[in-house]
Each structure stands twice: as structure tokens, then as C-alpha cells.
Amino acid sequence: MEYETIVGLEVHAELNTKTKIYCSCRNAFGLEVNTQICPICTGMPGTLPTLNEKVVEYAVKMGHATNCSINNVCKQDRKNYFYPDLPKAYQISQADIPLCEHGYVDIMLDGEEKRIGITRIHIEEDAGKMLHNDAFQGSLVDFNRCGVPLIEIVSEPDMRSSAEAKAYLETLKSILQYIDISDCKMEQGSIRCDVNVSVRPKGSTEFGKRVEMKNVNSFSGAMRAIDYESNRQIEALERGEEIFQETRRWDDMKGMNFVLRSKEDAQDYRYFPEPDLTTIYIPLEKVEELKKTIPELPNAKIKRYVKELGLSQTDAELIAENLPRCGLFDECVSIGGVSPKNISNWILADVSKYMNETGKDISESNLTAEKLVKIINLIEDGKISNNSGKIIFDEIMKNNADIDTVISEKGLAQISDDSALEKIVNEVLAANEKSVNDYRGGKTNALGFLVGQCMKASKGQANPAKCKELVLKYLNG
Ligand code: ADP
Ligand code: MG
Ligand code: ZN
């Protein structure tokens, strides 16, 4: 029997607001444990939360960017459970009325577009962090993360493979980066996801029982977890066993998952309206105003790069997936006068190589769009060779050199001027009569030698294409 894998994802993204969701403590990662805390975020009795307006704005932006409808009147609810990293013993979240719902994102996989439904996006607070300590075989808790604002983005069970899930995660990540509401640092846990997997016989229209996996820490880990779980379920079904709705813990090192608990239901949490906070009300003008702040998103960019600027799908994706890269690309294109394809080649090769090697961002380097366009322009016009372009690029990156100065100091100007080149070609060919006769006698590989001699005579400064053209003209003339 053939099976189909069904995947739905719950993605948590930490918002990069300055302060926490219900108090004025700093929202920052990596500070001394238990220093970014106050009576509110540590749940002291008698304290009251105040909702950070920015959190609502950021979540609405994400709703707009994922084509959701916005519930401009909504509420917050308590989700009750005990865990040592949750000092209040409840998490403020949203239950029946999320801020955003009924949206979608389009993902690209192997050149094909697929639409993935977004069920809902709601705001909630993060919990603290347990630090397991082998030294005394116990755990310590850091409350700095308590009250860090999160959005939870719940997808429809629309994905059919681990590859689709990864493409979806990457799409969400680049949207979050484009609208600048999250740091998206996987290694710091600023994006985390719960993975829901079920399988069913191919052709069946009913869903199987789903298993939810926790502790998935990377996009590649999500793929491994999905493939493992889907195989586990198929093997169990083949053995005639039943699949239980349960929560399992993914162990990426072992490449396996383990039962945590049977799946809890919403009623287990005793959700009820948060009595310490009032209804959220966002004026419709504000909702519209936030919509206007959404920039051109990655998908639209990729399509435009391919359709209007003639980039390949792969190059367009590589440029668009990285915000600084596509910022530089867009700026160069708007300066204009050079081919977008050449801009893209430079950014994906030399510029990216430099950024990778130095770990620097484009904005921290000496490179500007103007300088890059100027280099490309000089090459396109045959004023310098491609190689000289690379030398100039290095000089800019290392010493913030002036382009014209590098050209004159290093003698990089290419001879493209016809009369100057003609003079060199005439002299070289007159001095190489034998090769000229060889060529005319049918030994066409003499051409390469003659062009080489002309390049040498020009000390490498002749434009090779022009040079070849003139040599051929001489030989055939
Ligand atoms: P819970 O809080 O119980 O985890 P949510 O509604 O937050 O429930 O999330 C449910 C997630 O499970 C969604 O992402 C949804 O797409 C996914 N899901 C639901 N049914 C299935 C299924 N049969 N197979 C795979 N994923 C599913
Ligand atoms: Mg869940
Ligand atoms: Zn606080």
C-alpha cells in the first residue's frame, strides 16, 4: 500500500520588540540569568499586566503579510498549566479569537508554487528557560525569557512532505525578516516549531490520527523529524497497529522520537478570558496603516526578478532570500545602466564570498550600490577587464579605494580604442608572418596564438574580444 504524509506546523516566533509583552523589562537574549525580570513577569501576586502595543502591531503586520483577516476586536485568555519555567502557572495567550486568521502563504518547491493555508496567528507570552545542570543533577531556571512576546502561526495540514515543510518554514522566515519583526535566529530559539504528522493511504480523503512532535530546533531537524515519524507510522500501520494521538519528543542527535504524553486537549488547559486585561481594540484606520508598511515580499520579488529582469529562478531565489543582498540588488537596479544579470552575478559571487569570509554585513563594508554599478559599467563598456574589476573590488573592500585611482595606479585601463588597438595588431601580425600564413593556409589554431601575442604586446590591457575581432579582420582582409 502507498501512503501519503500530512504535515501541519505550529511556528512560534519571538518578536524583536524592545520590551516584553506585559512589563517594561528588556526583551534581549543572552544576558546574565534572572537580571531582566520584575514582579510582573515573575508572576508576583497583586501585579497587573499592561499589553505592549508594539506586540499587537507586529502581529497585525504578520497577518497582513500572510493574507489573513484581522480581528481588530479580540481578547486574551489564560492557558493554565504547571511547569517550573512558568511562575504564574498560566500563560497569557489567545484561545477562541486570535488576532489574525484565514490566511495563506505560497511556497516554491522545484519551480512549482503551492498554497499553504494559515489557520491563525495569535499573540502570547514566552515561558522561562530550564537549564539542566549535570553538576548537581538538577535544573535551574532562568526567568529572563518569561514574558518575551511571541506570535504563534498555525498552518492548515496542507503540507505533503518534509521538503514542503522546509520550504514553508523558509518562506515564513524570510517574511518575518522582510517585515523586520523577529531576529529569526534559530540557534537562539527565536523561531521554534511543533511538527504535526499523520499518514493515510494514498487516495484517502480522511486524515489519520496526528502525532505532535516537540523540541524541533532547526529546519533540517524538522525534515528529519517528519521523515522519521512518517516512516514510524507507516511501519506501525503495516504491522496492523493503531496510531494514537500523542505528543512525542524529537531527539535530533539520536534521530528518533519518544512518547512524552498522550495528546492534551484544549479543555485540559481550562482556558478562560484573562481578567486582568481589557479587550484588544484596534481602530480600522490603524489596521490599514499597518498594511501600508508591508514591503514587497519575497515571492513577489522572485517573480519580478524572473519576469521583468531576466534572472534565473535559482538566482532570483538566492538574491531574494537574503535581505541585505536583495537590498543591494534593488538599489543597483534602480541606479540602472547595467544588466541586472551582471549585478546578480556579482552579488552572488564576489559580494557573497566577501560577506561569508568576513562575516560582515554589506552595510558594514565599504561597498555601496554606486560603486558596484560603476565597476560593472566599466566592464560592460570594455574599459576594464573582468579580472581588473575583481582587483578593484578587493581594493574597495580592503582599503576603501577610489575606483579611478586604482585604475590609473595599477594601469588597469583596457585598450578598447580601435585606433590604438589596430596599431598593436598591425605591428604584431607584421612581425609574425609565419603564423599569419599558417592561418591563411588553413591552420586555424594560429588565431589563438596571434591574439595571445597581441594581448602580450598590450601588456594585457587590450580588450580581448576587440583584439580578436581586429586580428580576424586583418587575417581575412
Ligand atoms: P494543538 O494546540 O492541539 O496543537 P492547534 O490547532 O494549535 O492544536 O494545532 C494543530 C496543528 O496540527 C495544525 O498545524 C494543523 O495543521 C495540524 N494538524 C491537524 N490535523 C492534522 C493531521 N491529521 N495531520 C497532520 N497535521 C494535522
Ligand atoms: Mg500544539
Ligand atoms: Zn518584567
Side-chain angles (χ1 to χ4, degrees):
M1 174 131 58
E2 269 206 72
Y3 292 89
E4 183 175 44
T5 306
I6 313 285
V7 182
L9 297 175
E10 296 159 74
V11 175
H12 288 92
E14 283 181 355
L15 302 179
N16 58 10
T17 52
K18 285 199 185 69
T19 57
K20 293 186 179 180
I21 184 167
Y22 299 119
C23 63
S24 51
C25 288
R26 261 178 78 190
N27 170 19
F29 180 85
L31 301 177
E32 180 71 29
V33 296
N34 293 318
T35 54
Q36 312 302 310
I37 55 174
C38 74
I40 296 170
C41 56
T42 50
M44 294 299 134
T47 57
L48 288 170
T50 310
L51 178 59
N52 180 346
E53 193 179 345
K54 281 277 175 246
V55 172
V56 178
E57 286 183 13
Y58 284 19
V60 169
K61 279 175 128 187
M62 190 58 181
H64 281 314
T66 53
N67 310 290
C68 286
S69 50
I70 311 294
N71 293 320
N72 74 314
V73 180
C74 63
K75 69 189 219 307
Q76 295 165 89
D77 303 274
R78 280 190 190 181
K79 179 179 181 179
N80 299 280
Y81 66 93
F82 170 78
Y83 204 66
D85 64 9
L86 188 74
K88 295 203 298 274
Y90 60 85
Q91 176 196 32
I92 307 180
S93 178
Q94 293 191 286
D96 48 336
I97 315 176
L99 199 46
C100 322
E101 57 188 338
H102 311 308
Y104 63 86
V105 293
D106 292 327
I107 62 168
M108 282 294 283
L109 192 64
D110 303 327
E112 294 219 11
E113 202 168 50
K114 178 168 176 180
R115 184 156 290 184
I116 307 295
I118 303 284
T119 316
R120 54 186 281 154
I121 301 176
H122 65 253
I123 56 172
E124 59 185 28
E125 57 181 334
D126 210 345
K129 206 168 167 180
M130 302 280 286
L131 304 164
H132 302 286
N133 189 318
D134 285 336
F136 71 100
Q137 297 202 329
S139 290
L140 297 164
V141 64
D142 177 9
F143 288 144
N144 283 353
R145 205 176 66 181
C146 284
V148 163
L150 295 176
I151 49 173
E152 177 172 343
I153 307 158
V154 181
S155 85
E156 290 291 306
D158 284 348
M159 287 154 274
R160 295 291 174 268
S161 66
S162 56
E164 283 186 13
K166 181 155 181 266
Y168 168 78
L169 288 168
E170 270 160 3
T171 303
L172 282 192
K173 180 179 170 187
S174 59
I175 294 173
L176 289 165
Q177 278 173 330
Y178 268 56
I179 62 176
D180 191 22
I181 62 167
S182 173
D183 291 341
C184 299
K185 294 193 175 131
M186 296 294 291
E187 69 283 3
Q188 298 184 0
S190 47
I191 305 183
R192 308 190 287 269
C193 76
D194 298 341
V195 180
N196 296 272
V197 177
S198 66
V199 298
R200 66 181 175 193
K202 242 201 171 114
S204 158
T205 50
E206 254 169 61
F207 285 135
K209 284 259 170 61
R210 77 172 151 122
V211 163
E212 176 172 344
M213 267 179 293
K214 302 265 181 199
N215 196 42
V216 174
N217 299 319
S218 65
F219 293 177
S220 54
M223 285 185 85
R224 289 188 286 275
I226 291 164
D227 290 337
Y228 173 86
E229 178 57 22
S230 147
N231 283 330
R232 191 191 67 81
Q233 291 182 20
I234 291 168
E235 282 170 16
L237 290 172
E238 289 284 299
R239 284 195 301 268
E241 290 168 19
E242 200 185 329
I243 305 295
F244 298 102
Q245 182 166 334
E246 60 193 7
T247 302
R248 302 177 74 96
R249 181 178 189 279
W250 172 247
D251 186 328
D252 206 32
M253 295 292 277
K254 293 205 175 81
M256 297 171 77
N257 64 26
F258 303 93
V259 183
L260 265 181
R261 53 177 183 257
S262 67
K263 179 80 183 109
E264 70 287 352
D265 270 325
Q267 63 193 23
D268 299 333
Y269 291 115
R270 294 247 158 217
Y271 277 102
F272 63 83
E274 168 57 55
D276 289 340
L277 289 162
T278 54
T279 304
I280 296 177
Y281 169 70
I282 318 163
L284 286 172
E285 307 84 74
K286 181 78 189 173
V287 174
E288 282 311 303
E289 193 184 299
L290 288 166
K291 192 170 195 167
K292 294 202 190 91
T293 67
I294 307 299
E296 182 185 31
L297 292 172
N299 270 335
K301 252 192 213 304
I302 292 168
K303 282 186 193 158
R304 182 167 63 83
Y305 290 170
V306 172
K307 259 202 182 146
E308 292 172 26
L309 302 178
L311 300 196
S312 69
Q313 179 72 27
T314 315
D315 288 356
E317 284 175 15
L318 285 171
I319 296 271
E321 82 183 11
N322 178 299
L323 205 52
R325 239 185 245 159
C326 75
L328 179 64
F329 179 79
D330 286 343
E331 223 184 308
C332 289
V333 170
S334 75
I335 294 171
V338 295
S339 115
K341 176 79 193 138
N342 286 338
I343 301 173
S344 152
N345 287 346
W346 268 85
I347 292 178
L348 293 179
D350 303 79
V351 178
S352 298
K353 183 163 165 257
Y354 177 86
M355 304 303 152
N356 289 341
E357 282 173 358
T358 59
K360 274 195 192 169
D361 207 26
I362 294 164
S363 60
E364 300 165 316
S365 78
N366 297 323
L367 190 67
T368 61
E370 285 75 17
K371 289 180 191 168
L372 186 57
V373 168
K374 183 164 176 181
I375 295 177
I376 299 172
N377 223 326
L378 289 165
I379 297 171
E380 285 186 359
D381 290 350
K383 300 216 170 83
I384 59 172
S385 69
N386 205 40
N387 222 11
S388 302
K390 289 179 193 295
I391 294 171
I392 297 169
F393 179 81
D394 282 345
E395 284 297 317
I396 291 174
M397 298 320 249
K398 282 195 198 119
N399 308 317
N400 202 13
D402 173 67
I403 296 178
D404 295 323
T405 313
V406 183
I407 293 176
S408 64
E409 278 179 1
K410 295 200 183 260
L412 300 178
Q414 197 165 249
I415 309 170
S416 291
D417 169 35
D418 277 357
S419 60
L421 268 184
E422 234 163 275
K423 187 161 168 281
I424 294 172
V425 170
N426 288 339
E427 279 171 16
V428 170
L429 270 64
N432 286 280
E433 215 175 306
K434 186 175 169 303
S435 300
V436 171
N437 290 332
D438 281 351
Y439 179 86
R440 288 185 174 142
K443 290 186 182 163
T444 48
N445 55 5
L447 175 64
F449 171 77
L450 289 168
V451 174
Q453 291 305 106
C454 294
M455 289 303 295
K456 201 169 157 192
S458 77
K459 299 192 182 70
Q461 287 178 336
N463 176 330
K466 274 240 155 113
C467 193
K468 185 174 169 191
E469 195 182 295
L470 289 173
V471 171
L472 272 173
K473 199 168 132 195
Y474 182 103
L475 291 173
N476 298 328

